[in-house]
Amino acid sequence: MKLAANVRDIHKYYDLGSVVVKALRGVSIEFPKGDFVAIMGSSGSGKSTLLNLLGALDRPTYGQYILGGYDVSQLTDDHLSDIRNRLIGFIFQSYNLIAQYTVLENIEVPLHYRPGHKPISSRDTNRCIDLAQQVGLADRLDHRPYQLSGGQQQRVAIARALVNDPEIILADEPTGNLDSKTEVEIMDILRGLNRQGRTIIMVTHETSVARVAHRQVYMKDGLMAGEGLFPG
């Protein structure tokens, strides 16, 4: 079994001076390539902290995280940034689009952070246009975020996440700000990406969204509490 990511006894502590918050207290989980996982749990359970670690946006206090065959704890910041840019695409609940950029320019953003900071070529631009078309935004390339609905903004975020052809897509409450109809549309896009072979790891508190994933893992108090759909 080939693994996209592997977490072994991960702990994450935050020292706030008067108190140490133990956000993760020994989490171990494997994510095979092509997996589609929903991480569930109440507020404060550690699911967002885990997603940040999986995205290499933060480092564990101790424990091991293997990403694309690399031990994250052994990487320099520059190497980690390179691995993150190549292997991972991010989708956020709040979209995180740049307000003054057009749809096309927002999709291009990760290309500016490639190793060597190569200028964007016409081939790159054509790929971004193709991605916009794939998510149904071919007629919105010159629009800015304020001219788009929430669902359209999330489609831009999905296209942006795909621009570097990542192996893993991390989605943090990707439907949290959307109505039920748009939720279905966004999940259909994610399902299609998974069918193409991409690994999708998604944090959600919505059971209807979690059901789309192949498996559901539940977190509680910084620990893995089990697998399967849970109420609440």
Side-chain angles (χ1 to χ4, degrees):
M1 176 180 64
K2 292 185 177 181
L3 297 178
N6 186 14
V7 169
R8 301 171 183 167
D9 195 30
I10 286 288
H11 294 246
K12 181 62 182 179
Y13 300 162
Y14 296 98
D15 189 346
L16 304 181
S18 60
V19 64
V20 174
V21 176
K22 297 183 177 181
L24 297 177
R25 301 188 294 118
V27 171
S28 297
I29 185 170
E30 294 182 344
F31 299 98
K33 287 189 176 182
D35 205 357
F36 191 169
V37 183
I39 301 174
M40 306 179 72
S42 60
S43 178
S45 62
K47 59 186 187 299
S48 292
T49 300
L50 177 61
L51 202 71
N52 283 339
L53 292 175
L54 291 172
L57 299 173
D58 201 356
R59 295 178 188 261
T61 304
Y62 60 92
Q64 190 176 47
Y65 174 33
I66 306 298
L67 172 64
Y70 297 92
D71 184 341
V72 167
S73 66
Q74 303 301 313
L75 300 180
T76 64
D77 287 343
D78 285 345
H79 194 185
L80 184 59
S81 179
D82 176 35
I83 293 296
R84 183 171 58 237
N85 191 253
R86 288 193 296 107
L87 295 185
I88 299 175
F90 296 91
I91 302 171
F92 304 96
Q93 178 179 358
S94 56
Y95 321 130
N96 286 10
L97 303 181
I98 299 174
Q100 64 268 33
Y101 281 13
T102 64
V103 165
L104 181 58
E105 290 167 340
N106 269 287
I107 295 172
E108 290 175 337
V109 164
L111 298 175
H112 294 289
Y113 299 95
R114 292 177 295 186
H117 301 284
K118 296 183 294 183
I120 294 175
S121 66
S122 58
R123 183 177 179 180
D124 292 329
T125 298
N126 287 335
R127 170 165 171 74
C128 293
I129 292 171
D130 286 343
L131 287 170
Q133 185 172 14
Q134 288 177 35
V135 297
L137 293 174
D139 60 344
R140 297 287 191 273
L141 294 177
D142 295 327
H143 286 58
R144 287 175 169 75
Y146 73 89
Q147 297 173 301
L148 304 174
S149 68
Q152 289 171 331
Q153 291 185 61
Q154 193 61 293
R155 289 169 186 266
V156 178
I158 291 171
R160 180 185 59 193
L162 295 174
V163 73
N164 281 331
D165 196 24
E167 293 183 15
I168 303 171
I169 294 174
L170 300 180
D172 190 2
E173 301 281 6
T175 63
N177 289 333
L178 305 177
D179 60 63
S180 57
K181 179 178 181 295
T182 310
E183 171 189 301
V184 171
E185 294 171 352
I186 294 300
M187 293 312 299
D188 281 345
I189 292 175
L190 293 181
R191 186 189 287 114
L193 294 172
N194 180 246
R195 286 173 180 158
Q196 294 172 11
R198 299 181 196 274
T199 304
I200 298 179
I201 305 171
M202 171 180 67
V203 161
T204 183
H205 66 275
E206 301 175 54
T207 302
S208 60
V209 171
R211 288 185 187 278
V212 177
H214 297 161
R215 63 183 179 124
Q216 303 80 26
V217 297
Y218 189 76
M219 295 190 67
K220 184 176 182 180
D221 298 331
L223 295 166
M224 286 296 172
E227 293 202 22
L229 284 173
F230 290 74

